[in-house]
Each structure stands twice: as structure tokens, then as C-alpha cells.
Amino acid sequence: MAFLDQRLGNRLDTGVFSPLALAAYATWALLMYDLWSEARSASGTAAWLGLVAGVVFLFAFVARELAAKLARPRPAELAMLALQAVSALVAVAHSDSGASAVFLVIFAAQLAACVPLATAVAVLSLCNVALLLIFAADNPLGRALFATGLYAGFQAFAVLTMRLAFESELARDALARVNAELLATRSLLDESARSGERLRMSRELHDVAGHGLTALKLNLELANRTAEPERGRRIGLSIELADQLLADLRGVVSQLRRHDGVDVRSALAVLAERMPGMAVTLELDPDLRLPNLEQGEALLRCVQEALTNAARHADAKRVTVRVARDEDRVRFSVTDDGRGSAELKPGNGILGMRERIDALGGEVEFTTGPGRGFTVAASLPGA
């Protein structure tokens, strides 16, 4: 549970129209029908106050879901949870049946997905103390204790169910990230193998076929010095053909060498497509190729670490990855729209990125701020 409490940025993707929300709406409608029936038959205004509290609860529920989707306004989300708790208790206090205490079960499920478990238990304990006092005002103490314990049990069930679902969601996201990392690494290794094969072929063509054709040209030139006119004419034609073959061969070698290097675009595309819970936009130079596998691996690992941090710590929804060549440097950056931080606290991930880039003679900078997301900007030698 302590691990989950550190990962509250990755809350379950409920949403205003998710199945969980629809179940809450159905329960709310039934409770509102009960409050409406009591209000119509009651002579005073107290029952109508309970009905209004039920409407306020629905407003706070929807507002909390919307705030959670926006990711950053954490205080607004917590304020809506507090409003739900107060309105639920007001509804119970002005209801004869006590069924409105089910509002606290809905509240408990949301609370478990937004705050650490210890905080959720403490808040629900206070709510249940208030619930006990409300029940005890109109019922014997034993009956009040029984009703409070019953609803507390429902709340505990909702909290534990939500936490288990949350744990399953984290495990699924972690598996998806690991899968993306493995696929990206495989793509990079495949590209390295193709690059090595292209280089081997270019060397083979140059060293073997190129030298052989040069020798053929020299031998034909020697034969061309003979006295036979016809032989000289034909040998001259052979020399022209050999010259053309050499030009074609040089063109093939130049074409192969132009594609030397490591293409990281496919590896980055695989990594971006399989990052859960985030929309990753790639802005890549179409002709970008890195000089060697070490640089390709460093770039891929830094982008991978930045994406993981954005999902795990920043609660980011959108990330942009840019890679381009700038004169003799290859520059790349990863920018997220997460919550940011007032102070940069380097962890193992940031230190690892810096070590990778420094080892290859590159530079890296990290910038962040409250509400301004997080940006990793780095450059590597382009040759």
C-alpha cells in the first residue's frame, strides 16, 4: 500500500461517463427518490434541506471527476471531495430512513483513489463519528452503533475494491511500459544490425569489385596499345564500358554510405505508441541518423526515462518529443504538461540521463516549475 500511496498521480481513469460513474448516478437517483418522497410528505422544510444536499452531492461528484481529468487542479479536486462529505452528512441528518448514508460509500470509493490509504481511513473515521452522532440523536445507542458499523463496512469494501483496482491499473501500466521499452530496444538493435550490414556491403563493393574493375581497365588500356586496329577499337569500347561500370559502382557505394548510421525514428515510434495514459507527439527530423549505436541507445534511454517520469510522477497527459540535427549537433527534447515542481530534485533517473549524455560528450538541461511541466533538453555530437 505504501507503494500505491506514492503513485497517486496515476489515478484510475474513471471519467464522468465511466461505468463506475454511471453506477454512482443510478444509486444517487434511488436515494434522491427516497429524499423526494420524504420531502413531499413532511410538513417542515428540514426534509427539503436533505434533498438540496443530495443535489449538491451530485454537483460535487461531477465536478471532482472533471477536476481529476484536468490533472493539475489538485486543490479543487480535494475541495469537491470535502463538499461531498459535508453534503452526504447533511442529507443523512435530514432523512428519516438513513439510507442517504450510502452517499458516504460513493464518497469513500473516490477518496481511496485520490489520497493515501492512511488519510482515507482517518477521514472516513471522522465521517463515521459524525454519522454515529446523527443516528444516536434519534435512535438508541445500540441501534446507532449497528447502523454506523454497517455503513462503515460498505465504505471499507469500497475503499479496498478501489485500491485493488488501482493496483491492477498500475501493474498494467508498468507492464505496458516495459513492453514498449523492450520493443524499442529491439527496433534499435535491428536498425544497428541493418546499419552494420550496409557498411559491410559498401566496403565489400569498394574493396573487391572496385579494385577488380580498376585492374580490368588497366589491362585493357595495355592491350589497346597493340598494333591491330580492330582490336584497339573494341578494347576502347571496353574501356568506356569499364569507366561507366566504375562510375555506377561509386554511385552505389556513395548511396550506401549516405545511409550509414543508426535510425532511431522507428524505435521512438514504438516507444511513443505504447506509453499508457499519455498522448505522445513525435517531431522528428525525417533525415535524422545518429553516427553510432551508443548515441542511439543514449537518446532512446533518455527519452524513455523522461516518458516514464512524466507518467509516474508528473501526472502528465501530453508529451512532445523533438529530435533534429542542428549544424554539427543532434538535439532532442522531451516536454510534458504535468504539474511541474518548484524545485528540481535529481533522482536516479535524472542522474542516469546526465551520465549517459556526458559520457558521449553531450549536454543536458532540466527545466521545470509549478504548473509548467517538465522539460529535458539535450544535445549530442552529430559526427
Side-chain angles (χ1 to χ4, degrees), residues 19 30 53 69 83 88 99 112 122 143 165 167 171 175 180 201 205 207 220 223 289 315 333 340 344 351 363 374 377:
L30 291 174
K69 281 296 180 184
L83 184 58
R143 182 66 181 176
E167 184 177 16
L175 182 61
M201 290 175 60
L205 285 171
D207 295 342
L220 289 175
R289 302 186 73 83
D315 204 10
S333 64
L344 179 63
L351 293 176
E363 300 174 350
F374 191 89

Side-chain angles (χ1 to χ4, degrees), residues 30-31 34-35 38 50 88-105 128 131-132 134-136 138-139 143-144 146-148 150-152 154-155:
L30 291 174
L31 294 174
D34 181 62
L35 291 172
E38 289 186 10
L89 291 172
V90 171
V92 175
H94 295 85
S95 171
D96 293 335
S97 67
S100 299
V102 175
F103 282 134
L104 288 175
V105 179
N128 284 314
L131 187 65
L132 176 62
I134 293 172
F135 284 153
D138 298 320
N139 298 277
R143 182 66 181 176
F146 173 79
T148 303
L150 181 64
Y151 286 114
F154 289 142
Q155 295 165 22

Side-chain angles (χ1 to χ4, degrees), residues 8-258:
L8 293 172
N10 288 339
R11 290 184 294 275
L12 286 171
D13 185 13
T14 52
V16 177
F17 299 107
S18 68
L20 286 174
L22 294 177
Y25 298 149
T27 304
W28 175 86
L30 291 174
L31 294 174
M32 288 300 291
Y33 176 78
D34 181 62
L35 291 172
W36 169 256
S37 299
E38 289 186 10
R40 291 184 60 188
S41 61
S43 57
T45 60
W48 290 99
L49 185 58
L51 186 66
V52 171
V55 175
V56 172
F57 182 90
L58 178 64
F59 165 79
F61 179 89
V62 174
R64 207 270 334 162
E65 293 291 345
L66 293 175
K69 281 296 180 184
L70 295 177
R72 281 184 242 175
R74 179 80 169 162
E77 188 179 357
L78 295 178
M80 290 302 100
L81 283 172
L83 184 58
Q84 285 184 50
V86 172
S87 59
L89 291 172
V90 171
V92 175
H94 295 85
S95 171
D96 293 335
S97 67
S100 299
V102 175
F103 282 134
L104 288 175
V105 179
I106 301 174
F107 164 73
Q110 295 176 88
L111 188 67
C114 298
V115 301
L117 181 60
T119 302
V121 171
V123 171
L124 289 174
S125 297
L126 292 175
C127 290
N128 284 314
V129 170
L131 187 65
L132 176 62
L133 294 176
I134 293 172
F135 284 153
D138 298 320
N139 298 277
L141 180 59
R143 182 66 181 176
L145 286 171
F146 173 79
T148 303
L150 181 64
Y151 286 114
F154 289 142
Q155 295 165 22
F157 179 80
V159 168
L160 293 176
T161 300
M162 183 60 70
R163 299 296 290 193
L164 289 174
F166 185 55
E167 184 177 16
S168 176
E169 185 85 359
L170 290 179
R172 189 198 69 180
D173 288 354
L175 182 61
R177 281 193 293 271
V178 170
N179 186 48
E181 293 167 4
L182 291 175
L183 290 175
T185 300
R186 186 180 69 179
S187 177
L188 184 63
L189 291 175
D190 290 343
E191 173 59 27
S192 175
R194 288 192 294 268
S195 177
E197 182 64 15
R198 285 194 297 267
L199 182 60
R200 188 194 66 79
M201 290 175 60
S202 67
R203 287 172 177 167
E204 188 74 14
L205 285 171
H206 183 271
D207 295 342
V208 178
H211 291 170
L213 287 173
T214 300
L216 172 62
K217 178 182 178 182
L218 292 175
N219 289 329
L220 289 175
E221 285 179 341
L222 180 62
N224 193 39
R225 297 190 181 98
T226 62
E228 299 180 13
E230 180 64 21
R231 176 180 295 178
R233 187 183 68 81
R234 292 184 177 276
I235 292 177
L237 179 60
S238 298
I239 293 173
E240 293 179 4
L241 293 175
D243 286 336
Q244 184 62 45
L245 286 172
L246 278 172
D248 292 341
L249 182 59
R250 291 191 182 100
V252 171
V253 172
S254 298
Q255 184 71 15
L256 287 171
R257 286 193 175 277
R258 191 170 66 183

